[in-house]
Every structure is written in C-alpha cells, then in structure tokens.
Amino acid sequence: ASACYLYTIACLLFIFGSTSRTSATEPILTAQEIIARMSVHADDYWVLTQEYTFLADILIDDYETDGEIKKHMTLTERIYHYHGRRFFRKLTIDGRPLNADELKEEDTRESKFRARTQKSIAANDSSDIHGRMDESAILIKDLVGRYNYELAGLDSVRGRGVYVVNFTPRDGLKADTRRDKIFNELQGTVWIDTVQFRIMKSVGRLRRNVRIGWIAANIDTVEIHYEQQEIEAGIWMPLFVDARVSGSIFFFKKINRYTSADFYNFEESSEDPPRYIE
C-alpha cells in the first residue's frame, strides 16, 4: 500500500485539463463542449509530473464488518523521477522516521530502481517508463467516451468559478478488464474551472454492484473524491484523493478499506535529482 495506489486513482478520475480560455461574456457551453475542452491536454500530465518532486501523506484503514478498525497505517512518501521513471520513497511510517532496517530496505530498493533504470536506458528500452504508475494507469481518452454528461450549473470551488457537470455511464459498454468493469459503472460529478478547464474536484461512486469473475468478487461500494490545485500559473497537480472500497471475495472474505492521500511540497526537479537517502 503506497502513494502509487492513490496517485493512480488520481489519474483515473479525470485529473487532466486544457489551457483554453473563456471570457465573462462568452455564453455557457454545453456539457459536451466543456468536457471536450477539458480533455484537450489530457495526457500532458504524465510529462509535467516529470519536472517535479513532491510529498504524499497516505492513510490506509481496513475495517471489520461491524465497522471497527482492524488495521491503521500512515505513510509519507516522496515521489520523484529518475530519467523519466517515477520512484516512491518511504520517509515515515505511522508518523515516525524509518528505523535502521527499514532505511536499509529503502536504500536497497532505490539503488535497484536506479540500476534497473540505467540498464533500460543503455538498452534503449522505454517500457515501464512510469514504473509502478503504469500498472493500473488509464488515460482520459479512454474515459471520456464512456459517459453521458449533463451541465448542472455554475458554482465556485476555493474561490474559482467552475462548471458543475454530472456524468453517468453509457449503455452497452464493453469491459475487457476488471478495471473496466468498475469504471463502466461509475457515476458522479466533476467541477471544472471556467477559465483553464481543469478539473478542480471530482466525486464518483458505483451506481450498482460489480461482480468480478463468476464467484470471485462482488464489489458493492466504490466512492472516490479527488481535487486538484494550481501550484503555479497553468501548472496543475493533485491536492488530495480519498477512496472507499467494500465488497467480498468468495462470499466469505470481506473487503472494507478507506484510503486517502494529501499531496504537497511541490518542487521543480531535474531529470536526474540527487538521492533522497540523506
């Protein structure tokens, strides 16, 4: 459990936008026009993040069926890039610095990551360019066409004007993966900045249970809340994301997990930053 899981969710929930502009006198756009403008630079995010390093505070809570917490963990991780590949380095566990054994483990893991990256560069191998981030990543272009959109009105989020757009799944969507089954049943609302057409906030939840496999898993709850922040003019990064998932596996093993992450301390970083071991 790490920032990768939550950071990926962040990517999955429309964290991209365009740099289009609209004037105060321009008529309100249709929901489809707003979504189209939002998605113009959808994939730019993967490139932009390579220029920054930042911290993520992670919370993971697992619950019993009666609502009692059975596992609680907090982590702080630093995310940075090394020759285009992302690395997540643990800095604290449950609010304390890493002990000697944990620090040695992280040092070893980071050294192996750098050696593996250098080997890939030497072999001109660009696979796994984003490391763990690519394991369950999905692009906005793969999401936009799955939903119907309805403009609910205008509002403000953190002092900025936003379009409020509701989304619901289209009928007859094809699901090639377990992930597709989840996203094909998500519905919710996105709040899109009226000037830069960036997602400021997004909330999504399952409209009905999702069964994965014949009797393998039944997911009855997925709720995701995501927000972005403009860290400097035109540069948008995640602010926080939380997710709740519940269901069962093989009818007897229950899943009830809440995770959240806050992203902060964004700093511009070179392509080959110094080690963060120190």
Side-chain angles (χ1 to χ4, degrees):
S2 69
C4 173
Y5 172 72
L6 290 152
Y7 200 63
T8 298
I9 291 177
C11 297
L12 301 182
L13 264 222
F14 302 113
I15 60 175
F16 312 107
S18 76
T19 55
S20 302
R21 294 291 188 269
T22 181
S23 69
T25 58
E26 184 177 341
I28 295 178
L29 303 171
T30 66
Q32 197 61 48
E33 289 170 333
I34 294 167
I35 295 299
R37 292 196 186 192
M38 178 274 293
S39 59
V40 168
H41 293 285
D43 300 332
D44 291 356
Y45 179 79
W46 293 102
V47 176
L48 289 174
T49 53
Q50 294 185 28
E51 301 174 5
Y52 291 86
T53 176
F54 51 99
L55 300 178
D57 287 341
I58 315 299
L59 166 69
I60 303 131
D61 283 337
D62 285 327
Y63 293 87
E64 303 284 3
T65 54
D66 60 3
E68 292 292 322
I69 291 180
K70 66 178 179 180
K71 179 182 178 181
H72 172 80
M73 176 183 290
T74 61
L75 300 166
T76 297
E77 293 190 337
R78 175 173 290 282
I79 296 106
Y80 75 91
H81 288 76
Y82 181 66
H83 294 291
R85 288 164 169 79
R86 291 175 174 85
F87 186 76
F88 301 74
R89 181 177 173 87
K90 291 186 182 70
L91 302 180
T92 69
I93 300 176
D94 292 331
R96 61 167 176 78
L98 275 58
N99 60 36
D101 289 340
E102 293 164 340
L103 184 61
K104 182 178 180 180
E105 181 180 348
E106 282 300 289
D107 290 350
T108 300
R109 193 170 65 86
E110 185 173 6
S111 295
K112 288 182 177 179
F113 159 76
R114 287 173 173 258
R116 187 170 62 250
T117 297
Q118 291 169 356
K119 183 178 179 180
S120 296
I121 292 171
N124 198 28
D125 179 9
S126 61
S127 64
D128 192 33
I129 188 66
H130 300 303
R132 284 160 44 190
M133 291 291 292
D134 267 353
E135 292 177 4
S136 56
I138 190 169
L139 300 177
I140 195 70
K141 67 180 181 181
D142 297 324
L143 289 176
V144 168
R146 301 187 189 198
Y147 305 104
N148 295 311
Y149 302 96
E150 180 183 0
L151 180 60
L154 297 171
D155 202 347
S156 65
V157 175
R158 299 193 300 276
R160 302 178 73 124
V162 293
Y163 294 109
V164 183
V165 179
N166 296 327
F167 64 92
T168 55
R170 294 178 181 270
D171 295 328
L173 293 173
K174 183 179 178 181
D176 294 324
T177 66
R178 289 174 291 179
R179 181 184 61 191
D180 285 338
K181 290 185 177 182
I182 297 293
F183 278 89
N184 288 355
E185 295 296 338
L186 277 184
Q187 63 183 13
T189 305
V190 289
W191 289 259
I192 302 173
D193 182 80
T194 58
V195 176
Q196 298 190 46
F197 289 86
R198 303 282 182 166
I199 296 295
M200 292 201 66
K201 182 168 72 170
S202 179
V203 176
R205 61 188 63 83
L206 282 183
R207 63 174 177 173
R208 58 191 175 197
N209 289 17
V210 172
R211 187 171 296 280
I212 298 174
W214 181 45
I215 60 171
N218 181 49
I219 308 301
D220 55 53
T221 301
V222 173
E223 296 180 357
I224 306 171
H225 180 187
Y226 174 77
E227 294 195 17
Q228 277 200 132
Q229 58 189 317
E230 188 179 24
I231 61 170
E232 56 183 274
I235 303 297
W236 290 73
M237 294 291 177
L239 176 61
F240 82 88
V241 59
D242 63 46
R244 184 177 299 277
V245 178
S246 66
S248 60
I249 301 177
F250 295 114
F251 300 111
F252 59 86
K253 182 178 181 181
K254 300 297 182 181
I255 305 167
N256 193 349
R257 168 169 286 193
Y258 172 79
T259 54
S260 69
D262 293 282
F263 304 96
Y264 60 101
N265 278 15
F266 289 85
E267 301 175 2
E268 291 192 47
S269 175
S270 65
E271 180 67 16
D272 186 5
R275 292 169 66 94
Y276 285 99
I277 290 177
E278 291 77 14

